[in-house]
Amino acid sequence: MKKLFTLLLLAGSTGAYAQKLDTLTIEKIMRDPKWIGVSPSNIRWSDDSKKILFNWNDGKTGPDELFAITPGSITPQKVSIAEQRSLPANGSYNKKHTQKVFEKGGDLFLEDIKTGKIIQLTHTEQRESAPVFSGDESRVIYSQGSNLFALKLNGGGLEQLTNFVKAKSKKSKEDLNQQEQWLKKQQQELFDIIKVEQKQEKQDSTENANLEIKGLKELAFGDKKVGRVKISPDERFITYRLTKPAEDVKDAIVPNYVTESGFTEDIPNRSKVGRPSSTSETYIFDSKRDTVYRVNTADIPGIKDQPDYLKDYPKEQETYKKANADRQVAIEGVFWSENSANAIVVISAQDNKDRWIMRLDAVTGKLNLLDRQRDEAWIGGPGIENSAAGSVGFVDDNHFYFQSEASGYSHLYICDVNTDAKKQLTNGKWEVQTLYLSNDKKKFYFTANIDHPGATNFYSIPVDGGTPTKITGIKGGNEVTLSPDEKWLAIRYSYSNKPWELYVQANKPGAKAVQVTNSVSAEYMSYPWRDPEIITFKNRYGSDVYARLYLPKHADPAKPAVVFVHGAGYLQEVTYSWSYYFREFMFNNMLADNGYTVLDVDYTASAGYGRDWRTGIYRHMGGKDLSDQVDGVKYLVDKYGVNPKHVGLYGGSYGGFITLMGMFTEPDVFAAGGAIRSVTDWAHYNHEYTANILNEPFTDELAYRKSSPIYFANGLKGNLLMLHGMIDQNVNYQDIIRLSQKLIELHKENWELASYPVEDHGFEQPSSWADEYKRIFKLFEQTLKK
């Protein structure tokens, strides 16, 4: 490149809407995406299963509005503001699904499902939330602040169930420290008057106790935060979690330069990986015995296990071994059987290398193991969320279901909580992606990619196992919302080159899905968008890599190719559904129209392919995820005659990171790269994401040095264009500035930086989208067609 840009200020618009797309240009495809059409979103059913409600914009201008249809009348009708005000919010059903209790505007309401009648239960200035029916369904139990309350449904009557206080009103003997206990004992020994006063106080206390109505036990939380308060169906046990916030956490700031005030303003931002973490303990309040005790985590199997990566650090490994300390854990949820006989907890390790499912003896606070999933990389996968309970629950009073990657893919399991016997209900090289237990608890409904990694469908399976029954049948992406009575499916469906539309189908295998919305504009439909072929190629490790392939009708004489790298890392791009990266889909079409062969790869670490693929970047980001791109280029060269000297790549966020690693560590493969909103040094990214994959910078420095582009910047040979929003609150602008300084110090000249003053991580202004892709297209045109 001929010129070094340190800042490019943006202005202007992308032009008015056209009526027909004869040829693709940046100005056309990077407009406000409403020109494509606005797909239905936020799809849900009315509680009586008679209506499907969804947000939509049939006019493609202005804000989205609320629409409704019925399975028998599928013409969308706008829902009036008055009707919207009366709609119930999400809430909890009773066992027969004839009533629902919900919170709206901080007050509680009760809905009769059959009649639609709604009764307001509370009307207070304080906020009531999280209402559920009691075990016998005679009361509604809800939260107000940190405390639980119970409201009787027939005839009223309110009872407070917990009494959380900052500190106890009076210290008991157990609350005194050693010094205080000794001094008190000494005073009693030396002075008769104290003995007399104590005797009188005891007599008065006994008399008062006989007269007073006993109050609720004080549950002191001190400097900790109260959370996860839950009551057993028989209302005897209340469990809660006390969390001590981390101290001395330093957060970054993001300067905002284009402000209403005219002054530079700081946006408070996140911390960086390696920051101190909060700790928590879970307690049980036994109302029958009026006592509180902690759930005992000391005997959790493997609580002291050290991570394998410490083998690379012998001194630290020995220190860890000598300390012999329990790892920090968090109890993510307590789940009760309906008869209150069994309680199950899901526990995660703070280092996220273990997840335990254990039976809780509520009387003693002791735990018994039902399932342990250990992963030397990190726990994850569909239905096994980090720092959450995941897809779990009771099928009946004695059987508990959960998802696990024990087989290598996230599948459904059921466990007898009394015998510890486990049974795997689903199996295969595919993943259970969503999971629902039917109302009658006789079957599971789930979404999975059984037919092809990139095609999802809706299935059912009996709770005792069997062959899954396929219910949806249209090839593509099927996002299903089941009606409350389970008779109908609302399907949000899309295909590779067709945006999302709403369909409705009876909940029967083979039933026809009927299209409800037609959202796509005539302008979008006027262009013959490619249906990118989904291909596989073998990487250097012998694994199949899935990719989308865009072939030019007329290849440019220079035989150029471009690799698009999706973001997020753990995301599935190569599917038969409409891409999250729809702008890049259109840009890839434009590149193909201009003679480029384009490859879009689901590299190692992408979602949808099981545990080994998910964790294949552990301790080395920019390893297998990058070599998959390189192997993809070899495939293009060998099969399609692409010129190996005319290959570029581009991508945003994680895709920008891979672009940098490609340009720095594979300079003979990639001649040009467009790196958008890129991570340049993982030690400066957030804790939640990064620590899973690379551990922490001060405990696993080797992983960070292998994985951060800034350490490899000296390898740059080709032409690099970097693009970054200046108020990026995810990958901070500081990231790209630090790399720029490094490139300057290395005396590199063949790079540019385009800065976007008003853009966060996800760009919003069409002018910014158009500007960055004009620059990327210009980069490829000037460097890959020589």
Side-chain angles (χ1 to χ4, degrees), residues 161-165 168 172 174-175 214 216-221 226 236-242 281-296 361-365:
L161 302 176
T162 61
N163 182 25
F164 288 105
V165 294
K168 291 182 180 179
S172 65
E174 305 88 65
D175 296 323
K214 186 177 181 181
L216 272 173
K217 187 176 184 65
E218 293 180 336
L219 306 176
F221 58 87
V226 181
R236 174 178 173 178
F237 299 103
I238 294 173
T239 56
Y240 59 95
R241 192 166 86 176
L242 297 184
E281 294 178 319
T282 296
Y283 291 82
I284 302 170
F285 169 42
D286 183 345
S287 61
K288 182 178 180 180
R289 295 183 292 164
D290 197 34
T291 185
V292 176
Y293 41 98
R294 187 170 63 88
V295 175
N296 181 14
D361 183 341
V363 175
T364 65

Side-chain angles (χ1 to χ4, degrees), residues 234 259 364 477 489 543 581 607 627 725 752 776:
D234 63 4
T259 63
T364 65
L489 312 179
S543 301
Y581 294 97
S627 65
E752 295 180 358
I776 293 170

Side-chain angles (χ1 to χ4, degrees), residues 77 95 128 165 248 289 294 301 330 389 408 464 484 487 633 678 755:
Q77 302 293 327
K95 295 170 187 175
E128 293 89 32
V165 294
D248 301 321
R289 295 183 292 164
R294 187 170 63 88
D464 57 356
K487 293 180 180 179
V633 171
S678 316
S755 299

Side-chain angles (χ1 to χ4, degrees), residues 557-606:
K559 297 292 182 69
V562 169
V563 177
F564 166 61
V565 189
H566 71 72
Y570 191 63
L571 174 146
Q572 190 171 10
E573 164 67 4
V574 182
T575 69
Y576 286 104
S577 58
W578 184 245
S579 175
Y580 171 81
Y581 294 97
F582 62 90
R583 292 182 179 87
E584 287 73 15
F585 163 77
M586 295 188 290
F587 184 61
N588 291 341
N589 269 270
M590 195 190 91
L591 287 173
D593 286 352
N594 284 272
Y596 295 84
T597 299
V598 182
L599 192 67
D600 178 0
V601 180
D602 262 352
Y603 49 86
T604 299
S606 298

Side-chain angles (χ1 to χ4, degrees), residues 23 195 275 285 292-293 342 366 396 404 413 492 589 594 689 707:
T23 58
K195 294 176 185 177
R275 53 101 174 109
F285 169 42
V292 176
Y293 41 98
N342 292 303
K366 292 183 178 180
D396 55 41
S404 171
Y413 294 76
R492 191 169 180 259
N589 269 270
N594 284 272
Y689 178 89
S707 302

Side-chain angles (χ1 to χ4, degrees), residues 278-331:
S278 61
T279 58
S280 66
E281 294 178 319
T282 296
Y283 291 82
I284 302 170
F285 169 42
D286 183 345
S287 61
K288 182 178 180 180
R289 295 183 292 164
D290 197 34
T291 185
V292 176
Y293 41 98
R294 187 170 63 88
V295 175
N296 181 14
T297 59
D299 295 328
I300 293 176
I303 190 70
K304 298 179 186 294
D305 287 0
Q306 62 179 255
D308 279 357
Y309 77 84
L310 285 180
K311 293 175 182 176
D312 289 342
Y313 306 94
K315 185 183 293 185
E316 288 78 1
Q317 185 180 35
E318 186 61 26
T319 301
Y320 192 104
K321 186 176 180 180
K322 286 181 178 179
N324 196 34
D326 291 353
R327 284 182 290 158
Q328 291 292 336
V329 299
I331 295 179

